[in-house]
């Protein structure tokens, strides 16, 4: 018997199973898109629970595919569910789910990497950055091929407070290859500590929730899958622009097994490399013989702050590109070698 005055929670009506949907619409996972379907609704429910309380929330699901996680989200009685799906083959099956949940689902056929998330949700949901996170969540079983570029893009959005974070500190619950999940959450000194660890953890609280064995997916990937939850921090741990932090961190991890000073060197042109590197390491109070994975967040903060000061003193420094300098040197050697060959030929002709 229903409780008087209390609206019954929404539940999806009986529908074909995910396997039946796959058969009905003749869906096959495409290897080139690194697609893997999750058919076990107990597992999709478990993923969705990591997002927290979703009743009356506004949710964006990335790459819903045949709709397993979509069903679990709808069964939490969300206010609105936005589905962004790049592969047109999945749209008819998602429309079936939309019809089963009238007024709750909006389907966008498009690429999440280019979709304008600033317009995805009602403006009244927006909160101040210092407030609690808005009642907005991003959930997705991401294709492996897009997961790393997408999280880097969204971390930049966190830093700039735009994209999905125009509304405040929007939370995300996403899947990654197990190894990527370990990198995202690796602590100082851990064997998986990487560029991704620093970029994620300086901007977000990152939790590796649980691991799904590869055999739970169809087709079965060669790796297990990690479910990772992100909550943007009120204050980033490194108070510098995203691109500057990314450049310093990427350089530091360029030579992962060498001393950290070896990677830091490539921030500077060859003509002043040793002097500038020594200055940076000394002013940042970082031991140059530490390996990159041994550097703490405090170390990276100091490095970024000092590097910023050096860039302010030399406007051309930030635009310096180590790889471009290598390419120019290579072209110069090639042209010099070619010129010498021509001179030798001319000398022979004159003999």
């Amino acid at each position: 018997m229903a409780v008087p005055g209390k609206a019954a929670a929404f539940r999806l009506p009986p529908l074909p199973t995910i396997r039946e949907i796959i058969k009905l619409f003749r869906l096959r996972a495409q290897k080139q898109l690194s697609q893997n379907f999750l058919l076990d609704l107990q597992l999709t429910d478990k993923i969705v629970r990591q997002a927290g309380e979703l009743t009356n929330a506004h949710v964006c699901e990335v790459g819903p595919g045949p709709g397993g996680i979509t069903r679990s989200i709808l069964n939490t009685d969300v206010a609105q569910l936005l589905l962004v799906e790049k592969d047109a083959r999945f749209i008819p099956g998602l429309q079936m789910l939309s019809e089963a949940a009238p007024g709750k689902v909006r389907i966008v056929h498009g690429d999440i990497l280019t979709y304008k998330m600033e317009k995805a949700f009602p403006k009244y949901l927006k909160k101040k950055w210092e407030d609690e996170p808005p009642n907005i969540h991003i959930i997705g079983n991401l294709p492996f091929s897009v997961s790393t570029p997408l999280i880097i893009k969204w971390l930049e959005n966190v830093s700039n407070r735009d994209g999905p974070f125009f509304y405040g500190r929007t939370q995300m619950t996403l899947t990654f290859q197990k190894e990527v999940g370990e990198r995202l959450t690796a602590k100082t000194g851990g064997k998986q500590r990487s560029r991704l660890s620093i970029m994620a953890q300086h901007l977000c609280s990152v939790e590796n929730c649980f691991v799904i064995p590869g055999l739970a997916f169809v087709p079965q990937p060669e790796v297990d899958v990690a479910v990772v939850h992100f909550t943007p921090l009120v204050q980033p741990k490194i108070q510098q622009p995203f691109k500057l932090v990314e450049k310093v961190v990427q350089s530091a991890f360029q030579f992962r097994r060498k001393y950290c000073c070896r990677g830091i060197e490539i921030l500077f042109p060859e003509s002043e490399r040793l002097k500038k590197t020594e200055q940076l390491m000394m002013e940042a109070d970082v031991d140059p013989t530490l390996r990159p994975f041994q550097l703490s967040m405090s170390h990276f903060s100091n490095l970024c702050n000092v590097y910023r000061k050096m860039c302010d003193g030399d406007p051309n420094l930030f635009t310096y590109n180590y790889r471009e300098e290598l390419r120019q040197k290579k072209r110069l050697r090639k042209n010099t070698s070619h010129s010498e060959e021509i001179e030798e030929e001319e000398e022979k002709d004159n003999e």
Side-chain angles (χ1 to χ4, degrees):
M1 184 175 176
V3 178
K6 187 175 180 180
F10 173 83
R11 299 295 293 181
L12 282 169
L15 289 165
T17 66
I18 298 298
R19 287 187 187 277
E20 288 167 344
I21 290 285
I22 289 170
K23 260 189 183 180
L24 179 64
F25 295 104
R26 297 178 180 178
L27 302 173
R28 292 173 66 93
Q30 294 193 358
K31 191 172 182 180
Q32 65 268 32
L33 298 178
S34 59
Q35 293 174 339
N36 302 96
F37 304 149
L38 191 55
L39 310 183
D40 185 338
L41 293 185
Q42 288 187 327
L43 278 174
T44 60
D45 286 348
K46 189 176 179 182
I47 291 171
V48 170
R49 282 197 297 271
Q50 307 309 310
E53 178 58 54
L54 294 183
T55 304
N56 294 323
H58 288 249
V59 178
C60 172
E61 185 187 355
V62 183
I69 292 177
T70 313
R71 296 183 187 213
S72 294
I73 295 171
L74 286 171
N75 278 329
T76 66
D77 201 10
V78 294
Q80 288 286 321
L81 174 57
L82 167 66
L83 304 175
V84 182
E85 178 54 65
K86 185 178 180 179
D87 193 332
R89 298 174 306 141
F90 296 120
I91 302 298
L94 296 174
Q95 286 171 336
M96 183 184 289
L97 281 175
S98 178
E99 289 162 9
K104 283 186 177 285
V105 179
R106 181 159 61 97
I107 301 168
V108 171
H109 177 212
D111 187 343
I112 192 64
L113 284 167
T114 56
Y115 181 67
K116 301 294 184 186
M117 291 291 285
E118 294 91 341
K119 300 176 181 178
F121 306 105
K123 294 288 190 294
Y124 69 81
L125 294 170
K126 186 174 180 179
K127 287 198 173 185
K128 292 179 180 177
W129 194 260
E130 299 75 21
D131 292 345
E132 288 298 306
N135 201 13
I136 295 172
H137 300 261
I138 298 173
I139 299 174
N141 173 29
L142 303 179
F144 296 156
S145 61
V146 78
S147 61
T148 299
L150 182 57
I151 195 58
I152 289 292
K153 171 183 165 62
W154 276 342
L155 289 171
E156 184 167 8
N157 289 145
V158 172
S159 180
N160 297 330
R161 301 183 185 182
D162 58 13
F165 310 98
F166 165 81
Y167 301 90
R169 295 185 298 119
T170 300
Q171 297 179 80
M172 304 182 286
T173 306
L174 307 167
T175 62
F176 299 88
Q177 290 183 53
K178 181 185 174 186
E179 185 178 296
V180 176
E182 290 171 347
R183 287 178 193 162
L184 284 162
T185 54
K187 304 302 180 190
T188 305
K191 65 178 182 178
Q192 293 286 19
R193 187 76 161 175
S194 67
R195 171 185 71 121
L196 212 48
S197 317
I198 308 301
M199 299 310 296
Q201 293 171 36
H202 106 82
L203 290 163
C204 296
S205 167
V206 191
E207 179 189 359
N208 199 333
C209 303
F210 66 96
V211 173
I212 305 173
L215 55 82
F217 293 85
V218 177
Q220 181 180 337
E222 296 176 0
V223 295
D224 294 337
V225 172
V227 177
V228 183
H229 183 77
F230 301 80
T231 306
L233 298 169
V234 173
Q235 288 292 336
K237 293 178 181 176
I238 303 174
Q239 302 284 330
Q240 294 297 344
F242 184 88
K243 291 297 185 187
L244 184 141
V245 177
E246 186 177 42
K247 185 176 183 183
V248 172
V249 173
Q250 203 164 22
S251 297
F253 280 98
Q254 186 71 38
F255 305 101
R256 179 179 172 79
R257 292 181 177 83
K258 298 183 183 295
Y259 293 151
C260 65
C261 62
R262 179 65 186 90
I264 294 298
E265 282 179 1
I266 68 174
L267 289 168
F268 305 106
E270 188 176 28
S271 60
E272 51 187 4
R273 185 163 292 157
L274 293 178
K275 181 183 173 184
K276 294 284 190 184
T277 302
E278 186 178 345
Q279 178 189 343
L280 175 53
M281 302 302 286
M282 188 178 297
E283 290 188 23
D285 192 25
V286 174
D287 180 350
T289 64
L290 288 174
R291 311 289 176 179
F293 59 88
Q294 294 176 308
L295 296 178
S296 67
M297 195 65 73
S298 176
H299 286 138
F300 276 108
S301 179
N302 290 350
L303 287 167
C304 290
N305 291 340
V306 176
Y307 180 64
R308 170 66 183 271
K309 189 173 70 173
M310 296 170 81
C311 289
D312 288 344
D314 178 0
N316 296 320
L317 182 56
F318 185 69
T319 57
Y320 166 73
N321 185 300
Y322 169 72
R323 293 188 180 280
E324 181 57 34
E325 185 177 51
L326 284 183
R327 281 193 289 268
Q328 287 178 0
K329 285 173 69 176
K330 190 174 180 180
R331 281 197 295 268
L332 184 61
R333 282 198 300 267
K334 189 175 179 182
N335 290 338
T336 303
S337 175
H338 184 59
S339 298
E340 288 173 351
E341 286 175 6
I342 291 173
E343 286 175 8
E344 286 176 6
E345 289 297 323
E346 287 176 346
E347 284 175 7
K348 286 178 183 177
D349 290 340
N350 292 331
E351 287 177 355

